[in-house]
Amino acid sequence: MSPPGTIIVIGASAGGVDALRTIVAALPRELDAALFVTLHIGAHKSELPWLLGRIGTLTASHAVDGEEIRAGHVFVAPPDHHMVVEPGRIVLTRGPRENMARPAIDPMFRSAARAYGQDVIGIVLTGGLNDGTAGLIEVKAQGGTTIVQNPANAYGSSMPQSAIDNVVVDHVEEIAALGPLLIRLVAAHHDSGGRAHRNQTSGDAQERGMTGQFTQHKPVAVTCPDCGGALRQSQLGSLTQFTCHIGHVYTIEVMMAAQFLAMERFIEQALRSLGERGELCRVMIDEIRSVDEGAANQWKAAEAEVRDRTAVLQGLLNRRWIHPAINGGVRPAEG
């Protein structure tokens, strides 16, 4: 097993399987690079390595914790784990979700950039919202090459468009052009003497769990949708991020979507509680109707009150909400 000359990290979400298959199908077996792929699959079973392995000449598998990095292989983030790239090896972690996702793209991009610097090629493909933008900023900052699928023809335009809006992107290409482009870039990097050996320190503490930075920033008056903890606000170039002391990370766009979903859940929980109260009121009416008509009437009034308040909450859920566009047309309720 030979170490790769180039580290290629690819992030995708909705529509990503077909896009990834197109790229991998165009790459030759002798490619002097290791590919790392994160697709937003959550904790669901994934057949992505099998799909990628049968479409081209490269081998593919779900990454294994501690596995050695090698050229000519596609390492896929397994379900419910972030894939962290360290010098010479892979680390898997069930650390806090980022942008509501685990596996998330940003930890993979960020760790690869800090471990391999200019030997990294970062690619953001189709998807909603903007996971991958912060990581691509890091790839660029460390001297790597940044590539984005043309959002005009992507299944999900928000992720690539966010990258274009916030990062100095080296290449914006149609999906069919990305395979040939990678072959040229890897060959040029090989000819220049580049070998994917960078920092020989272990990966960032942020990739493994808590950030350790919470006390350095004043908390904002917004709580984490995942754990309810206080959040700190930070700025990464033009990208606004929120991080809680546990380590959950959100861009402002994803934070808007997560907060909206949390608000809807709270309303639904309130509706459930009102339904339970209404049912208990009906039980009480049946229990005491023959004994105390006056008390039964009070329980009837309580049940009517439940119906009135339930109608108010149902109205809140059923009404159309305003979702203003943010940064290049990304809407906070988009998944």
Side-chain angles (χ1 to χ4, degrees):
M1 293 184 296
S2 61
T6 305
I7 299 295
I8 301 173
V9 287
I10 307 176
S13 187
V17 173
D18 288 341
L20 289 164
R21 282 166 57 86
T22 299
I23 294 172
V24 171
L27 301 178
R29 184 187 303 274
E30 65 274 12
L31 189 74
D32 185 23
L35 278 71
F36 298 86
V37 172
T38 290
L39 180 69
H40 286 165
I41 56 172
H44 302 291
K45 182 180 179 181
S46 170
E47 300 293 344
L48 184 59
W50 180 81
L51 292 170
L52 297 180
R54 69 190 296 267
I55 196 67
T57 61
L58 299 180
T59 57
S61 65
H62 280 129
V64 176
D65 188 45
E67 185 173 7
E68 182 179 348
I69 295 172
R70 57 194 183 275
H73 193 84
V74 182
F75 300 94
V76 179
D80 206 27
H81 286 78
H82 296 311
M83 180 167 59
V84 176
V85 182
E86 293 194 347
R89 68 178 189 137
I90 299 168
V91 173
L92 300 182
T93 171
R94 293 193 72 253
R97 292 176 180 84
E98 296 200 20
N99 294 320
M100 298 193 293
R102 188 176 60 221
I105 300 165
D106 282 338
M108 179 182 67
F109 278 18
R110 189 168 58 231
S111 60
R114 294 175 185 178
Y116 288 103
Q118 65 184 14
D119 293 335
V120 175
I121 298 174
I123 307 174
V124 172
L125 301 179
T126 172
L129 291 174
N130 58 6
D131 189 27
T133 296
L136 204 64
I137 290 174
E138 190 74 30
V139 170
K140 190 66 177 179
Q142 297 293 335
T145 302
T146 54
I147 302 174
V148 174
Q149 179 183 359
N150 184 353
N153 297 311
Y155 179 87
S157 64
S158 296
M159 259 174 46
Q161 187 62 56
S162 173
I164 292 170
D165 291 341
N166 292 281
V167 188
V168 178
V169 176
D170 297 311
H171 304 273
V172 178
E173 300 285 351
E174 301 299 329
I175 196 66
L178 290 183
L181 173 62
L182 287 176
I183 294 172
R184 296 195 300 272
L185 291 175
V186 170
H189 191 67
H190 178 83
D191 293 342
S192 69
R195 299 301 299 169
H197 294 291
R198 308 302 300 172
N199 304 319
Q200 295 303 309
T201 57
S202 61
D204 236 330
Q206 183 174 359
E207 316 308 340
R208 298 175 178 273
M210 297 184 182
T211 65
Q213 301 173 348
F214 180 74
T215 56
Q216 301 174 18
H217 299 265
K218 182 179 179 180
V220 295
V222 182
T223 57
C224 175
D226 260 303
C227 67
L231 292 166
R232 64 174 178 87
Q233 181 177 334
S234 60
Q235 204 70 26
L236 183 62
S238 58
L239 198 69
T240 301
Q241 290 186 304
F242 295 89
T243 308
C244 75
H245 63 289
I246 296 299
H248 297 116
V249 181
Y250 303 86
T251 62
I252 180 65
E253 293 84 358
V254 178
M255 185 65 194
M256 289 294 297
Q259 188 272 340
F260 181 82
L261 291 175
M263 179 180 65
E264 283 200 325
R265 283 198 300 269
F266 292 144
I267 296 175
E268 290 165 356
Q269 290 168 5
L271 280 170
R272 184 196 66 207
S273 295
L274 281 170
E276 292 171 354
R277 177 173 172 80
E279 181 61 28
L280 291 174
C281 286
R282 287 187 288 274
V283 171
M284 290 300 299
I285 292 169
D286 292 339
E287 287 284 332
I288 66 171
R289 179 185 289 121
S290 61
V291 177
D292 188 338
E293 186 66 27
N297 288 334
Q298 288 183 328
W299 283 110
K300 288 179 181 179
E303 183 191 16
E305 180 184 59
V306 166
R307 288 197 300 270
D308 291 342
R309 299 193 181 190
T310 296
V312 172
L313 290 182
Q314 286 177 333
L316 288 176
L317 280 179
N318 294 334
R319 286 175 57 186
R320 191 175 189 86
W321 294 85
I322 297 172
H323 295 297
I326 306 174
N327 293 347
V330 178
R331 295 183 179 276
E334 183 176 354

